[in-house]
Amino acid sequence: MNYFLTEEQQAIQETAREIAQKKIKPVREHYDVSEEYPWPIVEELRKADLFGVYFPTQYGGLGGAGFELCLVVEEISRVCGGTALTIACTALCAFPIILFGTPKQKEKYLPDLASGKRLGAFTITEPEAGSDATATSCKAKKEGDYYVLNGTKNFCSNGNAAEIYTLFASTNPARGPRGLSAFIVEKGTPGFSMGKKEVKMGIRASPTYELNFDNCKVPAENFLGGEGHGLSVAQGTFDISRPGVAAQALGIAQGALDEALNYARMRKQFGQSVLSFQSSQHMAADMATQIEAARSLLYSVTRAMDKDLLAAEALSEKSGKTVYEELKKVSSKRWTKYSAMVKLFCSDVAMKVTTDAVQLCGGIGYMRDFPVEKYMRDAKITQIYEGTNQIQRNEIGYALIKELAKG
Amino acid sequence: MHILACIKQTPATSNVQIDPKTGTLKREGMAAAINPFDEYAIEEAVRIKEKVPNTVVSVLTMGPPQAEESLRDAISRGCDQAFHLCDRAFAGADTYATSYALQMGIRKIETVTQKKVDLILCGKQTNDGELDIPNAAYVKKVEEINETMIRVWRMMEDGADLIELPLPALIAVVKEINEPRVPSLRGKMAAKKAVIPRWTAQDIEADKTKIGLGGSPTIVASSFNPPPRIGGVKIGGATAEEKAKNLVAKLLEMKLI
Ligand SMILES: Cc1cc2nc3c(=O)[nH]c(=O)nc-3n(C[C@H](O)[C@H](O)[C@H](O)COP(=O)(O)OP(=O)(O)OC[C@H]3O[C@@H](n4cnc5c(N)ncnc54)[C@H](O)[C@@H]3O)c2cc1C
């Protein structure tokens, strides 16, 4: 299938694929079992410039946007959905800085994230604030040139591997969701410590941590997006970042199909390949068709989004205003509906396809020393994080009603 | 420091891959037709560059026009500049004629870059004949390098030697030395844009009687791979005297003395 990739996008895809095949595939089981952080792979990804594909060139990137990120995440996830988060979580940290950062903040943080020298994380979830993300109890109180953070965040991916965090805390609890604000917090800031590390079903190469803040003083210049604008920062970020989760899901689905087909063709029962049974072929046909539909939706939405995003980035460089402000001028609509659709569709496809992949392989598909069950475990998270698929449906429904009301 | 990697391209046919999607020959696979052993030499050169400030890595090959692809591949793996000896007159060269041509090529590189070559790196099977500088083959680790010397571990049948060579020197590496990286995106872009000079025998001022088939004293009757040596015996013993005794016993046992 010709997806009309530019020469540069082809190079990105090939490079990611080569690293996935040569460097990640041989060790994915090790990281899945041990839950260690895949630092040697991070080093390979750094050297190949893959951390930088979606950053503007003036901050050390290669000048692409969401689509380029998705190509990388898809290819890595095709081999290991957990390892892909080294880059995808860094993107989730970087997008709010790209969108809402001041020129100074962008200069300070983006080059290190683009080179992969420092990894990033994004932390909004709290024990009592999951789907209801604005029910934040983590507080930030202004004291002179600082904000003092107190509270607990949890389920933070890239938890202890990251060095730069975009964090959400309430600067005005009385105002509820309108009191939420965003910050850039660096690892090593006194009062910031790691809590519990979660033991997980899948994406086990990605560490998920609780973060504790005890009178942690963050410089006021690390305030991101303005007092009480945290909700906009989070929503604006998710609009752009959810396709990344979709790409992870798509890669996982494709990888599971690859493995299952290879096995089913070789496996003989009743004197013939199990792939020669029509029921197997129909199952494989449905898997492949869903994957292709998912890819088409993901690619067309991210490309359309990128056109606006890249235009806004260029304007922002001239005006000195934030990319988000310029984005509102470039395009009157937010991308919520489409980015929710992409994340919803691709992750549901991934869950269905990986479950069927296990089925297609029979008993061996269920075994830990065969790669297919890992895809199924890894797929599940894509229906949960960055908003559960119920929440995505809520967003899409809400957008549809809003469109009706506008007439 | 100026490092030169000398590479060979493998015959493209041994590298041909079929694209699983289209069933056609894969061009990208063909482009990466560097002799696999030379990838280790390139990687080591780039690693030294990353360690020693102000280092440039040049890469040189002698071969037909298609060999340029392997030079571009070398640039995508981090080499800074590439040079190509390409002339029908070079064809059919044995190790003697090859090393003569390379030597003249190196001189030309030094002239155009105005930088003396300090270290030449090549792969296990690229070590063509002799250049007039200190050299070590079967190198499995670079222990230390600075502007004036290189200290390396050389693989031996029964272990490894640590040896020091003054620069300029030539090192032939083995695959144990490193794990080559995947070409980077910036490297690939640089490779696409790179202007690679293509030099004829005349360009490098080579003596026509010393190059190509005519300049090759070797006549290849037939070629074969030497059979691998089957393991030897290590004679043990606490002291030299004891070892000698054991050796004599062994030779007697084998009825050799
Ligand atoms: C492995 C992992 C990594 C994560 N990484 C990060 C990270 O890096 N940063 C970060 O900030 N967070 C992260 N999260 C948190 C993740 O985004 C939340 O878990 C997710 O948003 C769901 O919140 P919850 O777990 O509290 O579920 P709950 O909100 O408690 O949901 C429970 C169930 O109720 C449903 N539900 C809730 N509200 C509604 C509603 N209004 N309508 C319909 N159904 C509803 C949900 O869909 C779900 O089925 C991570 C989570 C996991 C498991």
Side-chain angles (χ1 to χ4, degrees):
Chain A
M1 181 76 171
N2 186 347
Y3 292 106
F4 300 101
L5 303 190
T6 63
E7 218 171 313
E8 224 166 83
Q9 288 162 349
Q10 275 176 37
I12 289 170
Q13 192 183 51
E14 277 163 21
T15 304
R17 189 172 294 169
E18 198 177 343
I19 290 194
Q21 288 297 329
K22 285 193 185 155
K23 311 283 181 180
I24 303 178
K25 199 171 181 179
V27 294
R28 64 181 170 185
E29 192 183 347
H30 167 78
Y31 291 108
D32 180 49
V33 171
S34 68
E35 291 197 294
E36 283 166 24
Y37 200 73
W39 285 115
I41 294 169
V42 168
E43 189 51 32
E44 296 290 342
L45 298 169
R46 279 177 186 148
K47 282 194 290 197
D49 303 319
L50 287 175
F51 274 94
V53 296
Y54 60 94
F55 286 87
T57 48
Q58 54 274 37
Y59 302 108
L62 286 137
F67 184 49
E68 282 77 7
L69 171 66
C70 285
L71 289 174
V72 173
V73 172
E74 180 188 344
E75 286 305 326
I76 299 177
S77 302
R78 193 168 168 179
V79 162
C80 177
T83 305
L85 288 193
T86 56
I87 285 184
C89 284
T90 299
L92 192 52
C93 166
F95 278 136
I97 304 176
I98 291 173
L99 288 172
F100 297 90
T102 62
K104 232 174 125 187
Q105 288 171 334
K106 289 194 276 188
E107 270 155 36
K108 182 164 178 199
Y109 293 107
L110 296 186
D112 277 1
L113 294 167
S115 66
K117 185 174 167 212
R118 292 199 279 173
L119 305 188
F122 175 98
T123 181
I124 189 164
T125 306
E126 293 180 9
E128 303 304 325
S131 297
D132 188 5
T134 57
T136 311
S137 63
C138 185
K139 289 182 185 55
K141 199 160 164 251
K142 182 128 201 238
E143 279 181 17
D145 290 340
Y146 289 89
Y147 280 87
V148 182
L149 291 179
N150 275 297
T152 296
K153 292 280 164 190
N154 74 341
F155 292 172
C156 179
S157 301
N158 250 2
N160 65 336
E163 293 180 61
I164 302 168
Y165 300 74
T166 42
L167 170 141
F168 295 80
S170 181
T171 42
N172 189 348
R175 296 198 65 207
R178 308 255 155 248
L180 194 67
S181 300
F183 298 86
I184 305 168
V185 182
E186 293 188 43
K187 185 186 240 166
T189 311
F192 171 15
S193 61
M194 291 296 137
K196 173 184 176 223
K197 180 182 179 182
E198 303 293 344
V199 178
K200 305 196 298 295
M201 171 198 230
I203 56 163
R204 289 163 55 88
S206 169
T208 311
Y209 269 85
E210 179 184 88
L211 312 178
N212 294 312
F213 298 90
D214 180 14
N215 285 323
C216 172
K217 280 168 79 180
V218 177
E221 65 202 37
N222 283 15
F223 202 53
L224 189 62
E227 177 103 33
H229 290 183
L231 188 57
S232 296
V233 175
Q235 286 174 334
T237 300
F238 288 141
D239 281 0
I240 307 266
S241 68
R242 278 175 180 153
V245 178
Q248 182 194 19
L250 173 63
I252 291 172
Q254 182 69 60
L257 177 63
D258 296 343
E259 297 279 1
L261 283 179
N262 273 336
Y263 175 76
R265 189 181 54 179
M266 275 165 34
R267 171 71 173 168
K268 292 224 161 48
Q269 287 295 283
F270 302 98
Q272 51 188 313
S273 151
V274 300
L275 198 56
S276 69
F277 300 124
Q278 196 176 45
S279 61
S280 300
Q281 287 171 26
H282 283 185
M283 198 184 256
D286 285 341
M287 292 158 82
T289 307
Q290 290 169 72
I291 288 171
E292 213 45 64
R295 185 174 288 122
S296 295
L297 181 63
L298 173 67
Y299 284 12
S300 48
V301 168
T302 43
R303 281 173 155 153
M305 278 175 31
D306 283 356
K307 191 163 169 288
D308 290 353
L309 180 60
L310 289 168
E313 281 177 3
L315 287 172
S316 152
E317 276 312 303
K318 284 200 205 106
S319 69
K321 290 189 185 144
T322 67
V323 172
Y324 194 70
E325 278 173 276
E326 297 294 353
L327 196 56
K328 280 193 285 193
K329 281 188 236 156
V330 172
S331 149
S332 56
K333 59 185 181 300
R334 278 187 49 211
W335 285 100
T336 315
K337 184 176 83 176
Y338 292 101
S339 80
M341 285 175 170
V342 172
K343 146 55 167 121
L344 166 69
F345 190 75
C346 292
S347 61
D348 279 356
V349 164
M351 203 61 239
K352 177 83 173 77
V353 166
T354 54
T355 309
D356 287 348
V358 173
Q359 193 67 22
L360 202 53
C361 295
I364 195 78
Y366 196 74
M367 297 303 156
R368 274 283 172 113
D369 55 7
F370 193 71
V372 170
E373 60 83 36
K374 175 179 184 294
Y375 285 102
M376 185 173 163
R377 287 186 285 113
D378 286 352
K380 188 64 210 174
I381 191 58
T382 62
Q383 293 181 309
I384 296 173
Y385 59 17
E386 289 190 43
T388 65
N389 282 5
Q390 287 72 33
I391 295 299
Q392 308 303 322
R393 288 184 173 90
N394 289 355
E395 300 254 24
I396 298 164
Y398 178 67
L400 292 174
I401 289 168
K402 232 168 69 177
E403 283 168 18
L404 279 177
K406 271 195 204 145
Chain B
M1 176 173 295
H2 189 181
I3 305 178
L4 177 72
C6 284
I7 66 169
K8 259 186 192 167
Q9 63 292 339
T10 47
T13 45
S14 73
N15 231 11
V16 168
Q17 285 180 7
I18 309 283
D19 190 321
K21 280 202 197 125
T22 61
T24 57
L25 292 187
K26 225 176 155 179
R27 295 259 171 69
E28 306 92 331
M30 304 263 298
I34 292 184
N35 172 0
F37 286 106
D38 295 340
E39 283 185 22
Y40 302 100
I42 290 169
E43 175 68 25
E44 202 56 31
V46 173
R47 287 188 187 190
I48 295 173
K49 175 175 111 172
E50 286 165 352
K51 260 191 291 199
V52 182
N54 302 320
T55 296
V56 285
V57 179
S58 299
V59 54
L60 172 67
T61 199
M62 184 168 96
Q66 311 83 282
E68 188 178 302
E69 282 310 315
S70 61
L71 291 173
R72 290 197 190 275
D73 192 22
I75 291 176
S76 75
R77 290 166 199 274
C79 295
D80 299 296
Q81 51 199 357
F83 304 92
H84 187 179
L85 304 185
C86 185
D87 192 330
R88 271 167 197 277
F90 292 132
D94 68 358
T95 55
Y96 177 80
T98 304
S99 56
Y100 171 72
L102 290 179
Q103 199 154 3
M104 297 306 284
I106 292 166
R107 261 187 224 165
K108 174 91 176 174
I109 291 173
E110 290 180 331
T111 314
V112 299
T113 60
Q114 299 198 339
K115 252 185 141 190
K116 278 255 165 240
V117 170
D118 302 292
L119 179 65
I120 300 171
L121 281 169
C122 56
K124 189 177 144 205
Q125 294 180 349
T126 331
N127 188 7
D128 283 308
E130 280 97 62
L131 297 173
D132 249 356
I133 50 175
N135 62 76
Y138 299 101
V139 169
K140 66 164 193 178
K141 186 171 184 215
V142 173
E143 185 66 37
E144 199 189 332
I145 179 162
N146 60 38
E147 299 291 333
T148 56
M149 68 91 203
I150 183 166
R151 199 175 301 141
V152 298
W153 287 95
R154 174 172 63 181
M155 268 204 330
M156 304 298 281
E157 281 189 1
D158 59 346
D161 280 349
L162 181 61
I163 52 174
E164 187 177 311
L165 306 163
L167 296 184
L170 182 145
I171 303 289
V173 303
V174 290
K175 69 179 194 324
E176 285 74 11
I177 196 164
N178 58 43
E179 206 190 305
R181 74 193 63 190
V182 166
S184 73
L185 290 168
R186 285 201 171 83
K188 282 181 179 172
M189 285 183 231
K192 219 172 60 189
K193 285 194 218 124
V195 180
I196 299 177
R198 199 176 271 184
W199 291 331
T200 62
Q202 199 178 353
D203 291 333
I204 60 169
E205 292 167 34
D207 178 344
K208 291 262 180 196
T209 65
K210 292 188 181 171
I211 57 168
L213 194 57
S216 301
T218 317
I219 293 165
V220 181
S222 71
S223 58
F224 64 97
N225 282 322
R229 253 206 261 175
I230 29 182
V233 186
K234 197 161 184 174
I235 307 288
T239 61
E241 220 164 281
E242 201 183 314
K243 280 182 196 168
K245 241 190 226 158
N246 289 343
L247 174 62
V248 171
K250 184 90 198 167
L251 291 173
L252 279 172
E253 180 196 314
M254 294 170 78
K255 301 204 166 63
L256 288 171
I257 50 174

